Amino acid sequence: MPDEILAVVVSYNGSSKTLRTIEALLGQVGGVLVVDNASGVESMELLRSLESRPRVSLLLLDRNQGVGFALNQAIRIARERGFHWLLTMDQDSVADGAMIDEFRVAVSRHPEWACLTPNLALHGAAAQGRRDEPVDYAITSGNLVRMDIFDKTGPYDEAMFVDQLDFDFSLRVRKAGFGIYRVANAILIHELGDAGAPRTFLGRFHTFHSPLRRYYSYRNYLHLAKRHVRDFPGFVAKLAVVHALLLVTIVIYGRDRARSLLFIARGVRDFFRHRMGPYREA
């Protein structure tokens, strides 16, 4: 199975973080594809240093076209090269040395499983899951997807650009009749925003993201809710609560409160104006 997996790493000015992500995958999968969204000179030089590595290939885009576009390029390339599985990775995640092997073990026990997600170790903390189990969604990073799923779900939503694409894709996977399964011993070391959220009830809902990321998060949540509320009302409601709590934590803990709230307002405005894709100044 490992040789049947193409891992795609979507990069954008990740510098050494992207290299760590790639190096952790080498030897675990059949190939590593880096799709770069027009990084700057420093990151680009580091990526070009990988071109001579076996089983590593680069797709360098001339402008930032978003995570969805990059992932869809990976789907196309995986099909062209005959891979049976696609592993999607963020540039700020590092796969444990046994992650792919644990996925292999899980699939050998449950050959019907076609969408798997790892056990996350966030900001250096220990992973929490204790057993393999079905889950409601998979984040993009570490998501192992059998290629035939895309025939049923269609591609990733490029209009969302970044944020909430993984939730949208997960709900489409479930709507197509597939389950999503977390593999307890498949460990992924992952960063969610910047570390340092206060250890309080509200603090656990807070992430340190830029105002621009807040724009995408709130705009795309509304887009997702409109698309999926009839089929998954509970999931949409839970995500609404999370976004409401996050709004409170931004006011309490946020590093750039005023601009974050401004960009959230712009995201809501642009949703109602049917403006998707990359953020554009009015």
Side-chain angles (χ1 to χ4, degrees):
M1 175 183 173
D3 285 342
E4 298 177 336
I5 299 172
L6 176 66
V8 54
V9 180
V10 179
S11 71
Y12 180 66
N13 291 326
S15 299
S16 59
K17 284 185 178 181
T18 307
L19 289 185
R20 287 195 295 271
T21 299
I22 295 166
E23 288 169 353
L25 294 168
L26 294 176
Q28 291 201 62
V29 296
V32 178
L33 169 68
V34 183
V35 182
D36 183 75
N37 266 315
S39 291
V41 174
E42 178 185 354
S43 292
M44 192 64 68
E45 288 179 351
L46 289 173
L47 291 178
R48 288 196 179 281
S49 70
L50 297 170
E51 286 186 299
S52 61
R53 302 286 290 271
R55 297 194 175 190
V56 177
S57 54
L58 305 181
L59 177 58
L60 307 178
L61 304 179
D62 58 2
R63 67 183 189 280
N64 187 352
Q65 299 192 61
V67 174
F69 181 87
L71 293 176
N72 287 337
Q73 297 308 301
I75 294 172
R76 174 182 59 81
I77 291 170
R79 282 175 171 153
E80 290 174 353
R81 298 182 183 177
F83 286 98
H84 295 162
W85 296 82
L86 182 68
L87 176 72
T88 59
M89 293 289 295
D90 292 340
Q91 65 185 11
D92 56 0
S93 302
V94 177
D96 178 82
M99 188 181 84
I100 299 301
D101 194 53
E102 293 295 340
F103 280 150
R104 179 193 61 78
V105 170
V107 171
S108 67
R109 291 174 179 167
H110 307 280
E112 73 280 8
W113 287 10
C115 185
L116 293 81
T117 188
N119 203 355
L120 300 182
L122 295 174
H123 300 300
Q128 298 299 310
R130 294 290 180 265
R131 59 189 174 86
D132 296 357
E133 59 186 349
V135 293
D136 290 339
Y137 66 90
I139 67 168
T140 298
S141 203
N143 189 194
L144 181 64
V145 184
R146 202 172 64 200
M147 289 298 298
D148 63 301
I149 280 186
F150 297 110
D151 297 330
K152 302 287 184 63
T153 63
Y156 290 90
D157 188 345
E158 297 180 11
M160 297 176 83
F161 199 74
V162 65
D163 274 314
Q164 313 286 320
L165 287 101
D166 43 10
F167 293 149
D168 175 67
F169 178 70
S170 294
L171 295 181
R172 287 190 283 129
V173 166
R174 291 168 57 192
K175 189 173 181 179
F178 297 95
I180 302 172
Y181 300 92
R182 180 173 60 206
V183 179
N185 292 327
I187 307 299
L188 180 74
I189 302 166
H190 182 64
E191 297 179 11
L192 183 61
D194 297 325
R199 298 179 179 235
T200 62
F201 172 76
L202 285 176
R204 68 193 181 115
F205 293 98
H206 188 68
T207 58
F208 291 104
H209 282 307
S210 69
L212 182 58
R213 287 292 297 273
R214 306 293 191 200
Y215 166 87
Y216 288 118
S217 179
Y218 281 80
R219 183 198 70 178
N220 290 352
Y221 164 70
L222 293 172
H223 180 67
L224 177 147
K226 180 181 178 181
R227 173 179 288 171
H228 295 291
V229 67
R230 288 186 180 180
D231 296 308
F232 301 99
F235 184 90
V236 170
K238 288 179 182 178
L239 208 54
V241 171
V242 170
H243 278 77
L245 289 171
L246 180 58
L247 197 61
V248 174
T249 67
I250 289 171
V251 174
I252 298 174
Y253 306 119
R255 293 172 180 165
D256 199 350
R257 298 173 179 83
R259 279 181 57 78
S260 291
L261 295 174
L262 173 63
F263 272 74
I264 289 170
R266 289 177 177 175
V268 173
R269 175 202 66 189
D270 283 358
F271 166 76
F272 285 107
R273 292 182 177 180
H274 308 290
R275 291 180 180 173
M276 297 297 290
Y279 171 76
R280 295 180 295 274
E281 292 284 354

